[in-house]
Each structure stands twice: as C-alpha cells, then as structure tokens.
Amino acid sequence: MWWKKLGVALLLVVASSQYVQSQQSKVLCYYDAANFLIEGLGKVSLADIDTALPFCTHLVYGYAGIDVETNKAVSRQPNLDLDTGKGNYRAVTQLKTKYPSLKVLLGLGGYKFSEPSIKYLTLLESGAARITFINSVYSLVKTYGFDGIDLEWQFPQNKPKKVRSKVGSVWHGFKKVFSGDSVLDEKADEHREEFTALLRELKNAFRADGFQLGITVLPHVNSSIFMDIPAIINYLDFVNIAAYDQQTPFRNPKEADHAAPLYELSDRVPGNNVDGLVRQWLTSNAPASKLIVSIPTFGRGWKLTSDSGLTGVPPLAADGASSPGPQLQSEGFYSWAEVCAMLPNPSNTALKGAEAPLRKVGDPTKRFGSYAFRLPDSNGEHGVWVSYEDPDTAGNKAGYVKAKSLGGIAISDLSYDDFRGTCAGEKFPILHVINITVARIEPALPMCTHLIYGYAQVDPATNRLSPRNASLELDAGKGYYRDVTSLKSRFPGLKVFLSVGGNRDVMPKGIFQKYLSLLESENARKAFIASAYATLKTYGFDGLDLAWQFPQTKPKRIRAWSGQLWHSFKKLFTGDSILDPKAEEHREQFVSLVRDLKTAFQADQFELMYTHLPHVNHTVFLNVSQLKDNLDYVNVAAYDQQTSVRNPKEADYFAPLYELTDRVPGNSVDGMVNVWSSQGMPLNKIVVGIAAYGRGWKMVEESGTTGIPPVRVEGPSEEGGFTQTPGFYSFGEVCFRLRNYTALSPKSMMDPTLTNVEDPTGRFGPYAFRIPTAKQNGVWISYENPASVGHKAAYVRAKGLAGVSINDLALDDYRGQYFEEKFPIVRALLMNSKPG
C-alpha cells in the first residue's frame, strides 16, 4: 500500500517534566465525594472528574468511616452514597463499564476529617470488633462492586516541631533530658500487632474474590511506631505514602515553610519529605514496586505580618492561616486553580490589596517545591505566603518515582486539581503531567507506521550523537529510549526512529555551527556514524532521522509588486547576505555523511530519513540528485513559513498548502514538495510534515480591524499554559481560545472567544483573531485544524506521495477535550488519506 503515516512524537519537550513510567505503574486518583456537597465553585461531581479517568489506573472514592457504636464501616454521607439515597457508590463502580481497565476502591478513614484516633485504636483492641468491621467492609465492597479498599487508618500524629538552627537543636535536646518527650500512644506496641492482625484478616477475607487491599500512611503518622512493615507488606497490594502537609498553618501557625518538599532541607525535622518517608519503607524491606508517592493538588497558606521579613524565603514568621479562596472557601487551603489565579496574570497585574498578585518563586533545584507570597502593606494587611504543588513540581516528583522504580503516583485530590481548566485551558494539568507521555500518545499509535522520537544532539567536543538529557533517556537514568522502543512489542507494525537535531539542539552562538563543523572532518563524520549506529543497535531503534541544522534563510517581508521591484533594484548595489561561505563544501560533505550512514546501516537494515527543516535553502545545501538514492524518506517540514520570532512585525499564514499572492516564492507545502520532486526525488519517498499547533502574534492598533493577513503586529502573543511559549499554541490551546469558558471569578477571565475564519478554498488554512481593546490584548493566530490537514492529506494522496508526518502528537488534542475522539488531527489525516 502506497500510504505511509509517520507520527512524529517529541516526548521530552511538550511539558518540562514529562514522566515516562512502565505500563505496570499505578496512578491512584483520589476523589473525596464530600466535595459534591460544597455549594458554589468547590462543588465537584462524578461527571466533573470523568475526563481524568483515562489517566488513572485506580479511582479511590472517599470516604467511609467507622460507626463507633457498632464498629462497622459505614458511609459518612448515606444520602449521597447508598442506593437509598443518590446512589454514588453504585454510580462510581459503574464507571468501570466505560473504563474497563479502571479499578475502583473504597477509601476508608481519611485525613481531612481529623477524627479522634481513639475509636480506630479501640477497634483494633478487640478481636470481635475487628471481625465486625471486616464483615461490614466486605459487605460494602461486594454489594456495590468495588475492587477493594484503601485503608487510611487514623493513628495518633506526631507532635508539631519548630524549625530550629543547629544551636536551637542542641538546646532543645538539652531540655529533653529533663522534660522528656510526650508519648503518642502508651499501648503503641499492642496496637502495632493488632493492626497487623487486622490487615491479615482483611486480606484473608478478600482473597477468594480477589479484592485489593492498600493502605495510605497519613501525614505525621510514625510508621516505625504503629506499623510492622516486614509483617504487613505481604498483605498489601500497595502502600500510598501521603508525603505532604509536612508544614501546615494549623500544625505550625507561627512558621510558614514548604508543605511537601521532595528532599530534606537544612535545619528541618528529619524525614519530613518525600525521599525521607520513602526511604523509611525501603530500609524496612518494603518492595519498591508496592510504594506509591502521593502528590497533593493543593497549597497551604499562611498570613504574613511585619515580622515576616521582606525576602519570602522560608521558614519565616507567620500568624496563622491566610484568608480563604473562592473555590474551597477554607482558610489556608487552596486548590491548584485557586493558587494559579493568585499568580501574576493579565487580569490581576494592576490590582491592589487583597486582590494583588503573589510573587511566584520557582524551584530550579527540583528539590523543595514552589512558593508564592505577597508582603503585607503599610497597615500590616494582605500579607500571604503559599507553598503549593504545580505541574512542574509534580513532574519532578513523578521523575523521582520513575528513578526509584517505585510503584506509582497518587493524586490527592482530583477535586483540587484544575478540573475546569480555568488556569491554562487544560483540565487536570497536575494529573496529566505526572502521566507517561507514551500513555498520552498510545491511542494514536495504531494509526501510525512510524514513531519518531526526538531529539538527540551532536556533542561538539566529540562529534558523537548523544542524548540531550542522559539522566532521562539512557538505561542508567530513567530509560526513555528503552521505553519508547519497547512499544513495538505492543504495536507490532510500528517502527521507531531516533531523530537528531531539530530546532531544539542549539548552541549559545551559531545554532548550526557544530553541524557544519562535523561535516568538514572525515574523522568527525566517522565518530558520529559509529555513535549513531551504536545507539540504534543498543536501544532497538529502527532508523535515524537527520533533522540537520543548516543555516536558515534570512526572513523576508511580504511585498507588493512595486515593493518587489524596488527591493530587486536595491540588491544590485547591496547584494544578498551570504548564508555560508563554504556552502558548496558542506553540500558535498553532507552527501558523504548520508552515503556513509546508509552503508553503515545496511547490514542491520536500519532506515535513514532526512527532515528538511523550515527555511533551509535546498539549492545551497542539498544535492538532491546524490541524496535521493541513500535516503528512505525525506520529511518536508512545510510549516513555520511565518512565525512571530522570524517575522515579529508581520502576521501571516504559517503553513499554507499553496502559494499566496505577493508572498515569498516556494514558502508553501506545494512549493517545497515541487523542490524535491523536480530534482528527481521519487514521489514515494516524500513525506509532508504537518504541524499540530498554531503560531500567534500580538495585534495592535495599527493591525486594522479585518484580521485579513498579512497583518501588522508587534511580536508574539502571550504564552499558553500547556506549551508555555509566547506565540506558540498546541491545537488544544487554540481550541480553548476559540470558545468561552467559566473561570473561578470574573477577574480571572483572560481570553474571551476569538473570531474564527475558516478557509473554504482549502489552500491556505484557518486563522483566528481578536482586535485589541483597552481591556484586552489583541491576538492573531494561524493554525491547523482537522479540515485544513484533511486538505493536505488529500493533496498527498493526489500527488502519490509517501505520506504525512505529524509534528507533534503531544500537540494534537490527545485528550479529546474539544472533539468526540482523541487526536482529531491524526484522525482527519487518516480519513482523508484513504483512496476513494
């Protein structure tokens, strides 16, 4: 069959902390049904979390409690959960018919309720009470179709401790000699053994039905006191370590600090961090594969005072919990969406007092987490300090889980993630960033013949092909290379290539220089070829894509006929800028590199592709007649003809199918294809690159009111929340900007609907714009949608070309938020590529 479809997947760059995990890793998603009972913006129903479930392996529905009179497990809100009420227990387990691989567990106990631990301890002390409890749990699980339980047992919490310097620690230790320590539980040893008995008896009761049993170690519960880890671990399917709330405004009202650090900070309570808690279980011989790290989707806030200082650097003096937010309406406790709305954005930069934005402080070390603060005003009011989890820090923790080969991640709670997508247009951003990128793109892989993993780089010191991030990609790190090639075992027809270069392998000076220098030396070319071969062979890739960095042509303005005449007249005297004084040598040396690569690959039948990057002049750098026989494909990246970086003053179509009037000749799909076909490249080797994104510019008063391109503009438009790059939007982000949405409050509305202009001719593509006003920035976006890529797929079919490439699968609407199915751009290509 003539048709070849290459899905180009850039797995490392779409989110800064992409997480690749094994298929066996768990993603436990917690949903506290009590949030359904909240009135207002905090109300979260089962329907609201539905779009998150494809990214979860387990859904934990919370929380059942213990009836102190009967020792039975009971619903805390029977009118909501039971069949005699709203029937949520039945509704949540029926979600398994929609998501067959999902396991639904009943959460019992919980943390936020702060129930007296006495009734949990009392139950443990009686064998008869334990039997009653176990029977009631079994009955609930069996009756309503749960797959098991997550036991969040209420043990006494450690006493809060102040952050002390070394001198303070010495003095505190001296005082303890005379005052002693408070005893958490005088019968701790007995309760430890009785908890082991409870888990053993529960597991025995569950075994015949195959129900799962897990526990959550709640914050500030000392596992070494209350849990005999070697004795209980074999009864458990997982152990969820709730490694958050190490510092809260309720436990520590006078001292604000990181609430959920990944690693230990100086002069802090030992072990109060993710790594410390995980190590406690690992050193007690708990299998890493059973340990789950819980990531909070919320932040903790303190009120700052005049004694808090000016830097915001923790720990710092505080005065209890900060004011409640509009969603959770809880002092010192904010959902991620609430935190995001408090960070600087176009709607709050000019606000003052309690509405003024917080100053965000990121964590470049990836060890402790982000925080944000606002100093109190001259009256000592409106000061706030918030420690919070965001997609970046959650990604760091997911990377830690991968590196430690732990069992997975827990999200606590889906209700506190940005489930409406009000922050950046993406629903459940924290959940999504901790999920494996491969899992995101897997629904597209049955539609692809090739998956191109990018991007490797050239090491200028050795001229060898090397990973851009060895700690992520090699076996000694997180093993991304191995993970992506292992997909072939699940998709037998799929071929996986490694791509080197692209637009991301840059140097401080001369983006392309190391690529040209490599070409000039035969020994350098040999070193590159040997390293490329070794990488493909070692990790099981099927081929190499050379996205080679040549100098780009100088940007040219769009000129009318008279302007072109004047420009040509000027060139008689000024000449053109020379891209590369040694272009002819580099042209022939690139032919040698491609020929020698193909020879080295021949015995193993590795394939070789060249990606013709935008604005690389083929007549200067590419000898097509000598390249064509040594390339299996040429991928023509026929997009980014106009971008806000290259053309900051002029917005225009970024990926037209055909040439427009008064534009730069050849800057179109048809123009670039004709370049290769006219010089002898077989049509069945030419692949057309299609972008799954859009390019945006900032419209100004001089832009006019029609939006018809070309348009006078002023640089790139503001960044999107997913791509986080000015003037660059995923297809999902474009869709988000084409529709209104409900924000947390009117003040957080940042991007009303744009005017969308489709292309009925199918020649140039759609665009969307908003005229600037006194209150809103103007924006102009050229983008691809299913209709425009359908026209390009039809063009490929009509020309008899090899196929299309998608750059990038992760930029398509891979969650299906705006269309009925996921990957609408890929599906449109497939639909329009078939003959007939």
Side-chain angles (χ1 to χ4, degrees):
M1 189 175 178
W2 68 272
W3 173 248
K4 293 185 184 293
K5 180 163 35 65
L6 282 75
V8 181
L10 176 57
L11 302 184
L12 301 181
V13 181
V14 171
S16 61
S17 301
Q18 288 295 343
Y19 172 46
V20 177
Q21 63 187 23
S22 70
Q23 291 303 305
Q24 291 72 39
S25 296
K26 295 179 175 66
V27 180
L28 274 63
C29 296
Y30 283 75
Y31 168 63
D32 180 1
N35 288 301
F36 178 77
L37 304 177
I38 299 174
E39 294 300 326
L41 294 169
K43 190 182 189 74
V44 185
S45 67
L46 285 176
D48 290 322
I49 66 168
D50 187 79
T51 56
L53 299 184
F55 300 91
C56 307
T57 62
H58 294 66
L59 175 63
V60 182
Y61 181 94
Y63 287 94
I66 295 174
D67 185 329
V68 69
E69 299 295 331
T70 65
N71 290 308
K72 290 183 177 181
V74 294
S75 165
R76 277 200 179 88
Q77 47 266 334
N79 291 335
L80 176 65
D81 295 330
L82 304 185
D83 288 344
T84 53
K86 185 176 174 61
N88 260 19
Y89 278 174
R90 193 78 61 185
V92 74
T93 57
Q94 286 176 350
L95 288 169
K96 292 186 288 181
T97 60
K98 186 175 181 180
Y99 304 103
S101 62
L102 183 69
K103 300 292 185 183
V104 181
L105 308 181
L106 178 62
L108 193 149
Y111 168 61
K112 66 177 285 187
F113 301 97
S114 299
E115 291 184 344
S117 58
I118 186 64
K119 68 179 179 181
Y120 287 83
L121 301 183
T122 302
L123 187 151
L124 292 178
E125 294 169 3
S126 165
R130 293 200 304 270
I131 291 173
T132 299
F133 173 77
I134 291 167
N135 289 338
S136 64
V137 168
Y138 179 85
S139 178
L140 280 175
V141 171
K142 186 78 170 177
T143 300
Y144 290 99
F146 288 101
D147 296 296
I149 66 165
D150 172 43
L151 207 58
E152 306 188 20
W153 208 254
Q154 286 278 359
F155 286 108
Q157 293 185 358
N158 294 332
K159 183 181 177 182
K161 297 179 181 179
K162 287 189 66 177
V163 178
R164 296 180 172 88
S165 65
K166 290 182 179 179
V167 174
S169 298
V170 171
W171 171 243
H172 180 66
F174 178 73
K175 286 199 301 178
K176 281 172 61 178
V177 173
F178 301 96
S179 61
D181 254 345
S182 58
V183 178
L184 288 177
D185 175 15
E186 293 181 349
K187 296 195 287 184
D189 288 344
E190 296 174 32
H191 292 145
R192 190 168 183 254
E193 298 307 313
E194 291 156 354
F195 186 63
T196 300
L198 174 67
L199 296 180
R200 180 178 63 247
E201 293 157 4
L202 268 169
K203 191 62 176 178
N204 288 337
F206 284 1
R207 189 166 279 115
D209 294 270
F211 293 147
Q212 294 188 8
L213 175 61
I215 63 170
T216 291
V217 183
L218 296 174
H220 306 291
V221 169
N222 192 324
S223 298
S224 62
I225 293 177
F226 294 109
M227 299 177 189
D228 186 345
I229 295 174
I232 67 175
I233 197 65
N234 290 330
Y235 305 133
L236 299 172
D237 295 285
F238 64 84
V239 176
N240 176 30
I241 300 173
Y244 49 79
D245 280 356
Q246 306 302 332
Q247 198 93 349
T248 77
F250 308 102
R251 282 178 57 88
N252 319 88
K254 298 297 183 181
E255 200 165 50
D257 202 5
H258 291 287
L262 179 52
Y263 292 100
E264 192 165 303
L265 294 95
S266 300
D267 300 326
R268 303 307 206 275
V269 177
N272 276 9
N273 56 80
V274 174
D275 184 62
L277 293 167
V278 167
R279 286 179 183 277
Q280 183 179 8
W281 281 79
L282 290 176
T283 55
S284 298
N285 297 319
S289 60
K290 287 192 176 185
L291 301 185
I292 309 294
V293 170
S294 194
I295 295 179
T297 55
F298 54 84
R300 292 292 188 177
W302 286 259
K303 180 181 178 182
L304 295 184
T305 68
S306 57
D307 297 324
S308 303
L310 301 175
T311 67
V313 177
L316 67 167
D319 188 21
S322 52
S323 300
Q327 180 183 340
L328 302 185
Q329 303 173 34
S330 180
E331 291 186 344
F333 184 55
Y334 304 110
S335 69
W336 161 235
E338 287 178 309
V339 173
C340 184
M342 292 190 285
L343 300 178
N345 64 69
S347 68
N348 67 15
T349 52
L351 300 180
K352 304 294 183 183
E355 302 297 323
L358 308 189
R359 176 186 172 187
K360 177 182 177 179
V361 180
D363 176 22
T365 69
K366 301 182 180 181
R367 297 178 65 83
F368 312 124
S370 300
Y371 63 89
F373 68 98
R374 181 177 61 228
L375 295 176
D377 58 24
S378 57
N379 297 320
E381 298 179 344
H382 309 311
V384 62
W385 192 95
V386 181
S387 172
Y388 62 92
E389 205 79 65
D390 62 16
D392 284 344
T393 59
N396 295 338
K397 289 179 179 177
Y400 170 90
V401 168
K402 170 68 178 177
K404 290 283 188 180
S405 299
L406 304 183
I409 292 289
I411 291 294
S412 181
D413 183 292
L414 289 179
S415 304
Y416 308 139
D417 202 350
D418 186 10
F419 68 93
R420 293 189 182 93
T422 56
C423 178
E426 179 186 23
K427 295 182 178 180
F428 299 102
I430 291 179
L431 169 64
H432 291 150
V433 80
I434 65 97
N435 267 272
I436 165 178
T437 307
V438 170
R440 291 182 175 185
I441 67 172
E442 275 191 18
L445 296 184
M447 298 182 280
C448 301
T449 61
H450 296 65
L451 176 64
I452 314 300
Y453 181 96
Y455 287 95
Q457 64 179 354
V458 171
D459 184 338
T462 64
N463 292 304
R464 295 175 60 84
L465 181 147
S466 63
R468 290 187 67 235
N469 191 330
S471 65
L472 293 178
E473 289 156 345
L474 302 185
D475 286 343
K478 296 177 182 177
Y480 282 26
Y481 280 175
R482 191 78 63 185
D483 285 341
V484 76
T485 58
S486 69
L487 288 169
K488 293 187 290 181
S489 64
R490 301 179 59 214
F491 302 95
L494 184 70
K495 290 188 176 182
V496 181
F497 282 18
L498 177 63
S499 185
V500 57
N503 289 322
R504 290 173 172 80
D505 182 17
V506 300
M507 300 176 68
K509 294 182 180 179
I511 294 173
F512 48 79
Q513 190 56 52
K514 63 180 176 181
Y515 286 85
L516 300 184
S517 297
L518 186 152
L519 294 177
E520 294 169 2
S521 164
E522 183 178 358
N523 288 335
R525 294 198 302 269
K526 287 181 178 179
F528 175 80
I529 292 167
S531 60
Y533 175 84
T535 301
L536 301 190
K537 187 79 171 176
T538 300
Y539 289 97
F541 288 101
D542 297 295
L544 184 70
D545 169 40
L546 293 173
W548 207 255
Q549 284 278 3
F550 288 107
Q552 293 187 352
T553 56
K554 184 180 178 182
K556 297 179 181 179
R557 290 191 60 191
I558 298 170
R559 295 179 173 89
W561 179 82
S562 58
Q564 292 177 18
L565 198 63
W566 170 244
H567 181 65
S568 299
F569 178 73
K570 285 198 302 178
K571 282 172 61 178
L572 295 174
F573 302 96
T574 61
D576 255 348
S577 59
I578 298 175
L579 290 176
D580 176 14
K582 296 194 287 183
E584 290 186 11
E585 297 175 34
H586 293 146
R587 190 170 184 254
E588 297 312 309
Q589 290 159 351
F590 186 65
V591 169
S592 297
L593 174 68
V594 170
R595 182 186 61 242
D596 295 344
L597 272 168
K598 190 62 178 177
T599 301
F601 288 178
Q602 204 158 12
D604 294 88
Q605 298 184 317
F606 292 145
E607 293 184 313
L608 183 62
M609 181 169 77
Y610 167 66
T611 290
H612 185 175
L613 294 173
H615 307 292
V616 169
N617 191 318
H618 68 284
T619 60
V620 175
F621 295 109
L622 305 173
N623 188 335
V624 176
S625 62
Q626 294 188 42
L627 289 172
K628 61 185 178 67
D629 293 332
N630 291 309
L631 292 172
D632 294 287
Y633 311 106
V634 57
N635 176 30
V636 180
Y639 43 80
D640 283 354
Q641 307 300 340
Q642 197 93 347
T643 76
S644 55
V645 177
R646 280 178 58 86
N647 317 89
K649 300 293 185 181
E650 204 164 46
D652 200 12
Y653 295 103
F654 88 114
L657 179 52
Y658 292 100
E659 194 168 301
L660 293 95
T661 305
D662 299 330
R663 303 308 206 272
V664 178
N667 277 9
S668 63
V669 173
D670 185 60
M672 294 186 71
V673 168
N674 287 337
V675 160
W676 284 87
S677 61
S678 64
Q679 296 187 54
M681 176 61 75
L683 295 177
N684 63 2
K685 287 188 175 185
I686 299 175
V687 175
V688 171
I690 296 177
Y693 57 82
R695 292 291 187 175
W697 289 259
K698 181 181 178 181
M699 292 185 75
V700 293
E701 187 176 348
E702 293 82 5
S703 303
T705 58
T706 67
I708 298 173
V711 178
R712 291 185 65 181
V713 290
E714 194 61 50
S717 50
E718 60 192 34
E719 67 181 39
F722 180 66
T723 53
Q724 299 182 4
T725 304
F728 181 62
Y729 305 113
S730 70
F731 179 54
E733 287 177 310
V734 174
C735 291
F736 173 69
R737 282 163 171 74
L738 294 177
R739 52 189 280 180
N740 281 315
Y741 67 98
T742 302
L744 288 178
S745 69
K747 291 181 179 178
S748 64
M749 290 291 285
M750 67 177 188
D751 211 339
T753 303
L754 307 184
T755 299
N756 190 46
V757 181
E758 293 289 346
D759 174 25
T761 70
R763 297 177 65 84
F764 313 124
Y767 62 90
F769 68 98
R770 182 181 65 234
I771 303 299
T773 67
K775 296 183 178 180
Q776 292 287 342
N777 289 331
V779 61
W780 194 96
I781 301 175
S782 172
Y783 67 98
E784 295 280 17
N785 65 11
S788 66
V789 301
H791 292 305
K792 290 179 178 177
Y795 169 90
V796 168
R797 186 181 72 243
K799 286 277 190 180
L801 305 182
V804 296
S805 66
I806 303 297
N807 184 14
D808 175 309
L809 283 180
L811 297 173
D812 198 353
D813 182 17
Y814 63 87
R815 290 186 296 276
Q817 285 184 284
Y818 302 99
F819 289 79
E820 291 183 359
E821 294 184 292
K822 298 176 181 179
F823 296 100
I825 286 182
V826 176
R827 293 181 188 279
L829 287 169
L830 184 64
M831 184 180 302
N832 289 277
S833 67
K834 296 176 181 178

